[in-house]
Amino acid sequence: MRQYILRRLLQMIPILIGVSILMFAVIKATPGDPFSYLAGPRVNKATIDRMKAAAGLDKPLPLQYVNWVKQTVQGNLGYSLRTGEEVTSLLKKRIPNTLILTMTAFVIGVGLAIPIGVISATRPYSLVDYTATTFAFMGISLPSFFTALVAIFFFAYTLRWVPPNQMTTPGEAFNIWDMLHHLILPAIVLGLREIAAFSRYTRASMMETMRQDYIRTARSKGVGERIVIYKHAFRNSLIPIVTLLGFSLPDLFGGAVIFETLFTWPGMGQLTVEAVNNRDFPLLMVTNMFFALLVVVGNLMADVLYVIVDPRIRYS
């Protein structure tokens, strides 16, 4: 198992290199640059050219990429071209905020979805199953930004149960309960899609497992229904769910780009949007590579969880 994990980690290197080349080419192909907003009567073209030269943007693209790789390997992620702040410093501020939001949404999503899916599978075509299916289809079908806007309007502005935005109340000292009050709405809305997807996968996987011969054999031997469902059927239904778990990690962080912007949550998603709007190339490369890293790490986590869920699986 250790050799397999080590081999997968080594395989990540060429994958991330290829992704970085593609991202670098796409980012550089976008129109505009970080200094285009300065163009005007007060700033002449020569001044802007000097600023581009100082940032290394006047060099050929292959050389720009090589310089970026050299600095990244040395641990220097560069500086924001708009604010001049170290990218590492920006990440230290924003990553914890995104982790708080996404991990809370993940716990809510998985914690509610799996029991709902199991209940739906054990009581198929009942009122509970039809209700769960209806809400699952709504959660999958409705666009995330629309659900977020409706939730903000209804719960924040109409009922005034929760704040509409920000991570804490502006102008007040940090308080954990105040942060949790601000966290409730974006975390639940972000987790709704996970609830919908995981509950449907859990239901389908459980119903397929319940039809297997060993389940009928266990019942015929007089094994209790609870043991049949949770020890035999549920555990053997986890492999498709584990696959979804691996992809849900980057999916949640990707969804954070929308939700952090709508809820003004100061995390990686909002930072990415700011980098795009400002054509902040060093910052944009790092944020995109962060999301790419999540994808390959999520896949590795899924493969490792396969062995934990099903001891019959072995990697040689």
Side-chain angles (χ1 to χ4, degrees), residues 22-40:
L22 181 61
M23 285 185 178
F24 194 87
V26 171
I27 290 172
K28 291 296 182 179
T30 56
D33 61 74
F35 308 110
S36 58
Y37 74 100
L38 294 174

Side-chain angles (χ1 to χ4, degrees), residues 167-225:
M167 185 176 175
T168 56
T169 302
E172 294 186 7
F174 177 80
N175 182 284
I176 185 65
W177 298 113
D178 180 50
M179 188 198 71
L180 291 175
H181 194 209
H182 285 76
L183 175 64
I184 292 173
L185 187 59
I188 290 177
V189 177
L190 181 58
L192 282 177
R193 192 173 182 86
E194 302 303 310
I195 295 174
F198 275 104
S199 63
R200 297 305 299 167
Y201 269 87
T202 304
R203 180 186 183 275
S205 182
M206 278 287 293
M207 291 190 70
E208 179 65 26
T209 305
M210 297 286 283
R211 300 190 190 102
Q212 301 300 314
D213 292 338
Y214 64 87
I215 297 295
R216 287 192 290 268
T217 302
R219 283 173 170 165
S220 66
K221 289 182 177 180
V223 179
E225 188 67 14

Side-chain angles (χ1 to χ4, degrees), residues 63-262:
L63 185 57
Q64 289 185 43
Y65 175 76
V66 171
N67 291 336
W68 176 81
V69 171
K70 287 180 179 178
Q71 293 179 356
T72 303
V73 171
Q74 294 172 0
N76 178 16
L77 300 181
Y79 296 83
S80 169
L81 297 180
R82 180 58 65 93
T83 65
E85 190 174 356
E86 286 188 2
V87 172
T88 304
S89 176
L90 290 171
L91 295 181
K92 289 179 180 179
K93 295 177 184 176
R94 300 297 187 100
I95 288 179
N97 298 340
T98 297
L99 287 174
I100 291 172
L101 176 60
T102 54
M103 291 300 101
T104 304
F106 179 81
V107 171
I108 292 173
V110 177
L112 291 177
I114 292 181
I116 291 172
V118 172
I119 293 172
S120 295
T122 54
R123 301 177 185 176
Y125 313 113
S126 63
L127 179 61
V128 174
D129 184 29
Y130 281 124
T131 303
T133 300
T134 300
F135 280 103
F137 283 143
M138 289 176 60
I140 295 172
S141 303
L142 290 175
S144 300
F145 71 89
F146 176 78
T147 307
L149 291 174
V150 171
I152 292 172
F153 174 78
F154 186 72
F155 293 105
Y157 289 108
T158 303
L159 299 178
R160 298 184 181 276
W161 287 354
V162 289
N165 51 32
Q166 299 291 335
M167 185 176 175
T168 56
T169 302
E172 294 186 7
F174 177 80
N175 182 284
I176 185 65
W177 298 113
D178 180 50
M179 188 198 71
L180 291 175
H181 194 209
H182 285 76
L183 175 64
I184 292 173
L185 187 59
I188 290 177
V189 177
L190 181 58
L192 282 177
R193 192 173 182 86
E194 302 303 310
I195 295 174
F198 275 104
S199 63
R200 297 305 299 167
Y201 269 87
T202 304
R203 180 186 183 275
S205 182
M206 278 287 293
M207 291 190 70
E208 179 65 26
T209 305
M210 297 286 283
R211 300 190 190 102
Q212 301 300 314
D213 292 338
Y214 64 87
I215 297 295
R216 287 192 290 268
T217 302
R219 283 173 170 165
S220 66
K221 289 182 177 180
V223 179
E225 188 67 14
R226 184 178 295 272
I227 296 177
V228 169
I229 292 173
Y230 293 102
K231 184 177 180 180
H232 298 289
F234 177 65
R235 182 165 185 176
N236 287 283
S237 303
L238 282 177
I239 290 183
I241 302 171
V242 165
T243 303
L244 190 62
L245 281 172
F247 288 107
S248 68
L249 181 64
D251 183 58
L252 276 172
F253 277 87
V257 174
I258 298 173
F259 285 89
E260 288 181 3
T261 302
L262 291 173

Side-chain angles (χ1 to χ4, degrees), residues 292-313:
L293 182 63
L294 286 175
V295 174
V296 293
V297 170
N299 280 275
L300 177 60
M301 286 176 55
D303 289 343
V304 173
L305 286 173
Y306 287 152
V307 178
I308 298 175
V309 171
D310 191 347
R312 295 172 300 176
I313 298 177

